[in-house]
Amino acid sequence: MIRPVKFTDAKQIADIYNYYVLNSVVTFDETLFTEADFKERIFSVSKQYPFLVYEEEGRILGYAYANMFRQKPAYKNTVETTIYMANDVQGKQMGTKLYTVLLQQLKEQKYHVAIGGLTLPNTASVKLHEKLGFKQVAHFK
């Protein structure tokens, strides 16, 4: 089930994120996040933007949210998106379902541009974004 995030999801969300902190470079973070860190993120993000989880049988399998892209007035209808799936569920189309709901909610909220910043190599994320219509517009080395 895809639903809005709850503060009680913070520990499982931190566990998903911390897998990538420990095992990849995609987060750009070097220290693990705590449950409290994610409670703060849930609080700050969900005030204005959608923050969703994909849950099955009480387990959070992934999460996605949008956040401010830049503070300039010209970007008021632009958001940056984030999605992370539990490592053991990748390739099962759950991320596609979750991201589709997020993008639909953003459209309903009148956001016109969604930007996903990816760290390469990250084949799964590239494929997901391309499948949902994202186009590469820049490459930062």
Side-chain angles (χ1 to χ4, degrees):
M1 140 178 72
I2 296 171
R3 62 165 174 79
V5 71
K6 300 176 191 172
F7 286 111
T8 55
D9 300 327
K11 172 68 170 94
Q12 290 188 70
I13 290 171
D15 290 344
I16 291 169
Y17 188 78
N18 287 336
Y19 171 86
Y20 295 97
V21 172
L22 291 171
N23 297 290
S24 75
V25 297
V26 301
T27 69
F28 280 12
D29 283 307
E30 296 177 336
T31 58
L32 299 179
F33 276 54
T34 66
E35 179 179 0
D37 293 330
F38 266 97
K39 282 184 177 179
E40 174 56 35
R41 184 164 296 177
I42 290 166
F43 176 76
S44 64
V45 169
S46 60
K47 282 194 255 182
Q48 182 172 351
Y49 304 98
F51 194 138
L52 306 171
V53 296
Y54 192 114
E55 177 186 15
E56 281 186 1
E57 299 178 7
R59 180 180 174 213
I60 304 300
L61 301 175
Y63 67 92
Y65 63 86
N67 212 343
M68 178 187 294
F69 173 63
R70 293 205 172 142
Q71 292 184 347
K72 303 273 185 192
Y75 295 110
K76 69 181 178 191
N77 297 107
T78 301
V79 293
E80 183 172 6
T81 58
T82 297
I83 184 167
Y84 284 92
M85 300 304 295
N87 184 58
D88 62 332
V89 300
Q90 288 189 9
K92 298 182 180 179
Q93 304 306 309
M94 293 174 189
T96 300
K97 292 173 186 172
L98 179 59
Y99 220 179
T100 298
V101 173
L102 177 69
L103 294 172
Q104 182 58 42
Q105 286 188 10
L106 291 168
K107 189 175 184 178
E108 290 168 5
Q109 292 180 9
K110 307 297 184 212
Y111 291 103
H112 301 290
V113 178
I115 296 172
L118 312 181
T119 304
L120 301 176
N122 192 342
T123 304
S125 191
V126 170
K127 286 180 179 180
L128 173 63
H129 285 84
E130 288 176 347
K131 178 194 288 188
L132 294 173
F134 284 77
K135 304 286 184 218
Q136 182 177 338
V137 295
H139 183 103
F140 296 111
K141 292 187 178 187

